[in-house]
Amino acid sequence: MLGFAFSEAQRSQQIALKLRNSQSPRLGPQLPGGVASHSESSPEDAGPTQPSRRTRRRRRQRKSAAGTSRDVPGDLPSPSKVKTHDAPMTKRDLYFSLRCGMVRVGPDGLESAVGRVTVVNWENQVVLDEYVQVSVPVFDHRTGVTGITPKNLHEATLSLAAARNKTGLLLKGKILIGHGLEVDLSALGLTHPWCDVRDTANYAAYMRQVKDQLSVMTLPRDLDDLLRDMNLLPSHSYVHSTNHAFGPVVEAVGCLDLYKAVRK
């Protein structure tokens, strides 16, 4: 009887130990006596560790910072976020008219040199108008056509190379308008993509017909005669406000007016 009672007490103690182990899964296997065995516990047996107080504080700070920096839907960006180069290009920024004032050089004045370079934008505003140094003696300044005087060339500070660079940077990637642009570009030593060139001298409606015994040819017309026939010469108000009665500025504006008249 005594042995039977001892075995029953031992069995009750084992059942209580198993029940205690099942109710506390974070602890490792229990040794007899209720002491946990840390040496035999594995990381998989241990439950997820709680984050420290410092970690929880950092997480709250990040959430609050993200909530304040997030833009509210429908709000417009502040003016400080708008960049100037993001603005869409207008005709004023895309279309430019080029005209060079040529002087005659050489012993007999049979050659030409750039004495003045002018660029006008779509709104007839002068973007560039400077006199260019001529390194050889000038035979004829052609003042009545170009507006260039000996004093202008004597005081000129822009070399031909500087004029080439300045004009090339201004016209890069733009639509170039003019009359006989091949002459102006060649004199400056520049080239321009043919797809971006609008030369009124090559427009059929602005050309003149020359008949011979075999065929009919179309040839470019002089710009002054074309502007006069199209009634596109500068008005008195324009001459008074700009002080340009003739010269490259007026011719550049005239090229723009010719292009605008036929542009669809």
Side-chain angles (χ1 to χ4, degrees):
M1 294 294 293
L2 182 60
F4 177 76
F6 178 78
S7 62
E8 288 294 333
Q10 188 178 8
R11 186 182 304 167
S12 300
Q13 186 179 4
Q14 292 178 356
I15 294 174
L17 183 60
K18 291 181 180 181
L19 181 62
R20 191 182 301 118
N21 292 339
S22 62
Q23 291 179 354
S24 55
R26 294 182 183 178
L27 299 178
Q30 298 291 329
L31 293 176
V35 181
S37 175
H38 296 285
S39 60
E40 296 181 0
S41 62
S42 62
E44 290 78 2
D45 297 334
T49 58
Q50 293 294 334
S52 63
R53 184 177 300 176
R54 181 180 299 176
T55 303
R56 292 197 298 270
R57 188 186 305 117
R58 289 177 179 175
R59 289 178 181 176
R60 287 197 298 269
Q61 292 175 355
R62 290 171 186 168
K63 289 182 180 180
S64 61
T68 55
S69 62
R70 188 180 297 110
D71 294 335
V72 179
D75 289 352
L76 295 177
S78 61
S80 61
K81 295 181 181 180
V82 179
K83 300 179 181 179
T84 55
H85 61 264
D86 292 336
M89 294 185 66
T90 61
K91 293 180 180 179
R92 174 182 179 180
D93 307 314
L94 188 60
Y95 292 87
F96 291 91
S97 179
L98 171 67
R99 196 67 178 174
C100 292
M102 311 295 292
V103 296
R104 295 176 180 174
V105 297
D108 300 323
L110 301 178
E111 299 179 0
S112 300
V114 179
R116 184 177 178 182
V117 58
T118 302
V119 177
V120 180
N121 65 10
W122 182 266
E123 298 178 357
N124 296 343
Q125 297 174 341
V126 178
V127 180
L128 175 66
D129 184 29
E130 295 195 28
Y131 296 98
V132 182
Q133 296 174 347
V134 180
S135 58
V136 295
V138 178
F139 181 82
D140 185 7
H141 291 81
R142 304 175 66 226
T143 305
V145 178
T146 63
I148 301 174
T149 63
K151 181 180 179 181
N152 297 142
L153 295 185
H154 179 72
E155 298 176 351
T157 59
L158 191 68
S159 64
L160 180 60
R164 180 188 305 112
N165 295 335
K166 196 171 185 178
T167 307
L169 290 175
L170 183 61
L171 300 179
K172 185 178 181 180
K174 306 300 189 301
I175 303 297
L176 183 57
I177 302 171
H179 192 84
L181 282 171
E182 184 179 355
V183 177
D184 296 325
L185 292 174
S186 177
L188 288 172
L190 292 174
T191 58
H192 204 74
W194 64 269
C195 56
D196 293 336
V197 172
R198 308 291 186 268
D199 198 334
T200 57
N202 299 329
Y203 184 59
Y206 291 153
M207 301 179 74
R208 58 188 177 92
Q209 293 185 352
V210 178
K211 298 181 180 180
D212 59 10
Q213 296 180 352
L214 300 177
S215 62
V216 178
M217 296 184 298
T218 55
L219 300 176
R221 297 181 58 184
D222 184 72
L223 180 60
D224 294 336
D225 295 339
L226 185 58
L227 294 176
R228 189 178 297 105
D229 293 345
M230 295 290 294
N231 196 21
L232 294 176
L233 290 175
S235 60
H236 294 288
S237 59
Y238 177 81
V239 173
H240 180 73
S241 61
T242 62
N243 197 26
H244 294 296
F246 52 86
V249 175
V250 174
E251 292 176 348
V253 174
C255 293
L256 277 173
D257 292 337
L258 289 173
Y259 177 71
K260 293 176 184 177
V262 295
R263 182 179 183 272
K264 297 182 180 180

